[in-house]
Amino acid sequence: QLQLVESGGGLVQPGGSLRLSCAASGFALYDINTRYNIGWFRQAPGKEREGVSCISSGDRSTSYVDAVKGRFTIFRDTAKNTVYLQMNSLKPGDTAVYYCAAVDTTFQALCDMYSWTYDYWGQGTQVTVSS
């Protein structure tokens, strides 16, 4: 069964950067028969989980929530079976537990950022932006 392992969270000052990793095991994310869309989500205390970004399996097209556009970048390394979220110019409002998630889909399907779309979830990693 597909397993997602996250890393890269931590404490960073406002304006700083972090790179989150989502390493998949059990199955290749992308091969002749398997295609996974990957999403990044976050949840702050007392708030609902929100979609942050996603990357489509077919054409690697990406989507971002307005709050992170221009600051965050999602990309994949197929050889490493890993998807990354590069976070720059971090703000205190970015503080949350960040989760990666995957769903098996068709090669041409575009990703979305609805949490109920995704079947596999990582354990979450804490990102704290504070002075």
Side-chain angles (χ1 to χ4, degrees):
Q1 191 170 356
L2 180 67
Q3 182 178 354
L4 305 176
V5 179
E6 301 167 344
S7 62
L11 175 65
V12 65
Q13 295 183 358
S17 298
L18 287 173
R19 179 177 290 183
L20 305 184
S21 299
C22 178
S25 61
F27 292 94
L29 292 175
Y30 315 101
D31 64 20
I32 194 71
N33 296 313
T34 306
R35 298 291 185 271
Y36 286 92
N37 288 349
I38 304 296
W40 282 97
F41 298 80
R42 66 186 182 185
Q43 187 167 21
K47 298 179 64 177
E48 293 186 1
R49 185 175 300 179
E50 66 171 343
V52 177
S53 182
C54 69
I55 182 167
S56 299
S57 64
D59 61 358
R60 303 192 188 193
S61 62
T62 58
S63 295
Y64 301 90
V65 68
D66 287 344
V68 309
K69 287 181 178 177
R71 301 188 296 119
F72 290 11
T73 303
I74 187 172
F75 62 99
R76 80 189 200 199
D77 187 326
T78 301
K80 295 181 178 179
N81 213 31
T82 299
V83 176
Y84 302 91
L85 184 67
Q86 179 67 45
M87 306 186 296
N88 299 325
S89 302
L90 283 162
K91 304 175 180 180
D94 297 318
T95 296
V97 178
Y98 283 71
Y99 302 87
C100 66
V103 59
D104 193 359
T105 187
T106 61
F107 186 79
Q108 295 82 17
L110 297 178
C111 71
D112 62 49
M113 292 187 288
Y114 296 107
S115 62
W116 52 84
T117 295
Y118 294 85
D119 299 315
Y120 305 95
W121 291 81
Q123 78 286 354
T125 184
Q126 177 71 48
V127 172
T128 302
V129 185
S130 176
S131 298

